[in-house]
Amino acid sequence: MKYLIYILLLLNTSLIHSQIIHKRVVSLLGSPFEITLVGKDTIEINKNIDLGIAEVKRIENLISDWIPTTPISEINRNAGLKPIKVDKELFDLVERAIKMSVITDGAFDISYASMDKIWKFDGSMKQMPSADAIKKSVAKVGYKNIILDKAESTIFLKLDGMKLGLGGIGQGYIADKVKELLKSKGVVSGIINVSGDISTWGRLPNGDQWKIGIKNPMNKDKIFAMFPLEDTAVETSGSYEKFVIFNGVRYSHIIDTRTGYPAQGLVSVSVFAKTTEIADALATGVFVLGKDKGMELVNRIPGIGCIMVDDTGKVFSSKNIDLEKYKK
């Protein structure tokens, strides 16, 4: 699960240079969903916001593993039994997700939904699960057991009991698709915020860039840096609220599905990229990889930026981000 509680969108609904900035917040995908658009006419803006919301619902009915009638649910029901034919949009998304698994050495993996939930972060855990229970909890997780047949456009889960969950990349994909749709309708500027997956394009009516303020989760009352966004996406994975401590060791709710153990060392990872889909998947993968391996990966990928906060509150940034330049 990913949180963007400490990333704040900085804007005001206003009328500038005959253009209106208008934001609507609704509940979609089980979380707050925000669309902020710039336009000349309130009626036109609201019409476009309605189109964006309809696009969210369309994709949700394609990729959700909670809705029993979706293709993803059909794939999960037939794990170990038979391949399921899907349309190109879903096939391509799953194919890209697998490529992200390869890039992150399995730290990001959409078959995480197969994992047994043996770790509890609601205060009920009194001791660590056994090593055997941890190993068994991820026995059916593994992207290499997702079999794609491009010629037939089918997806097959090799192991009985395997499940796909696109939450780690799907929200980013939705933000990108809504942005793409609205740009095709002539919307010149806006922000899509799908439960913390943020995608922007264009500028404010006065020519200024959109900006976000990032907080250190170890000091949540203060913004430590302000970043301009223009045709850019950002996503944050965080664990500062949900964790357990055993024998003085902090275990986050973000699980490394390769081992079954919670990721350690970091409390937040913010990834900047051209697409929200990539930022979404990388934020999870980098968090699991940890500071050193995660930052090494980010610094190898052109066009990707990253800010990390470790569990002592220390802030790190990728080579292409000068924190001093953006500090408040």
Side-chain angles (χ1 to χ4, degrees):
M1 185 180 289
K2 292 167 292 300
Y3 292 85
L4 206 67
I5 295 173
Y6 41 88
I7 289 188
L8 306 177
L9 210 53
L10 303 176
L11 56 90
N12 291 302
T13 299
S14 59
L15 178 63
I16 311 173
H17 298 176
S18 300
Q19 287 189 310
I20 299 167
I21 305 171
H22 186 71
K23 178 172 74 171
R24 190 191 302 177
V25 182
V26 295
S27 180
L28 291 170
L29 308 168
S31 301
F33 172 78
E34 299 179 5
I35 301 183
T36 303
L37 301 181
V38 173
K40 296 180 179 179
D41 182 297
T42 301
I43 294 174
E44 177 190 24
I45 290 176
N46 279 313
K47 178 182 175 182
N48 285 319
I49 288 176
D50 290 340
L51 288 175
I53 290 171
E55 180 71 347
V56 174
K57 292 177 179 178
R58 181 191 73 80
I59 300 173
E60 183 181 23
N61 281 286
L62 180 70
I63 69 173
S64 172
D65 60 315
W66 293 98
I67 301 172
T69 54
T70 66
I72 285 291
S73 293
E74 182 72 4
I75 291 165
N76 290 344
R77 279 193 296 271
N78 284 280
L81 298 175
K82 65 178 182 179
I84 298 299
K85 192 174 184 65
V86 299
D87 68 17
K88 187 177 186 301
E89 182 178 9
L90 180 57
F91 185 94
D92 289 350
L93 177 60
V94 172
E95 186 176 45
R96 292 195 303 273
I98 292 173
K99 288 179 181 176
M100 294 304 298
S101 294
V102 174
I103 290 169
T104 62
D105 194 27
F108 169 81
D109 193 327
I110 58 171
S111 66
Y112 76 91
S114 315
M115 183 175 59
D116 291 335
K117 308 299 190 294
I118 61 171
W119 294 89
K120 309 293 182 185
F121 300 93
D122 57 2
S124 64
M125 279 187 77
K126 304 305 177 186
Q127 62 183 19
M128 281 186 63
S130 68
D132 185 55
I134 292 170
K135 184 178 178 180
K136 287 181 179 177
S137 72
V138 292
K140 294 184 178 180
V141 179
Y143 71 92
K144 292 180 181 178
N145 290 314
I146 305 171
I147 310 302
L148 303 183
D149 185 330
K150 201 171 188 73
E152 297 295 326
S153 193
T154 60
I155 300 174
F156 176 53
L157 304 183
K158 196 173 178 180
L159 305 179
D160 179 35
M162 275 190 77
K163 292 180 181 178
L164 299 185
L166 292 175
I169 195 170
Q171 290 183 169
Y173 176 68
I174 287 172
D176 290 337
K177 291 295 286 184
V178 173
K179 171 182 170 180
E180 179 186 314
L181 173 65
L182 294 179
K183 287 182 72 175
S184 75
K185 299 297 182 182
V187 180
V188 297
S189 182
I191 298 179
I192 308 301
N193 182 354
V194 184
S195 189
D197 292 80
I198 293 177
S199 184
T200 71
W201 74 102
R203 292 191 173 210
L204 291 161
N206 65 359
D208 288 348
Q209 294 172 301
W210 300 103
K211 291 181 180 179
I212 59 164
I214 297 186
K215 289 184 175 183
N216 186 326
M218 309 299 278
N219 183 14
K220 292 181 286 184
D221 295 328
K222 183 181 178 182
I223 293 172
F224 75 82
M226 292 276 294
F227 290 90
L229 298 178
E230 186 174 350
D231 201 21
T232 305
V234 60
E235 209 287 328
T236 294
S237 287
S239 69
Y240 70 94
E241 285 192 327
K242 291 187 177 183
F243 60 90
V244 291
I245 297 176
F246 293 121
N247 300 320
V249 179
R250 184 182 185 279
Y251 297 93
S252 81
H253 79 285
I254 299 176
I255 308 297
D256 183 345
T257 56
R258 301 169 300 178
T259 65
Y261 284 84
Q264 292 177 257
L266 297 173
V267 292
S268 80
V269 171
S270 298
V271 172
F272 297 81
K274 275 297 181 184
T275 71
T276 326
E277 178 185 312
I278 290 175
D280 198 358
L282 274 181
T284 301
V286 167
F287 193 103
V288 170
L289 287 171
K291 180 177 75 70
D292 294 335
K293 289 184 178 179
M295 197 64 83
E296 180 187 358
L297 173 62
V298 168
N299 285 329
R300 290 201 318 262
I301 304 175
I304 303 296
C306 180
I307 296 172
M308 300 177 178
V309 182
D310 71 12
D311 54 13
T312 69
K314 191 171 181 181
V315 181
F316 303 87
S317 62
S318 55
K319 290 179 180 178
N320 58 355
I321 293 180
D322 180 2
L323 267 182
E324 292 301 318
K325 179 179 178 181
Y326 300 108
K327 276 186 178 178
K328 283 281 287 179

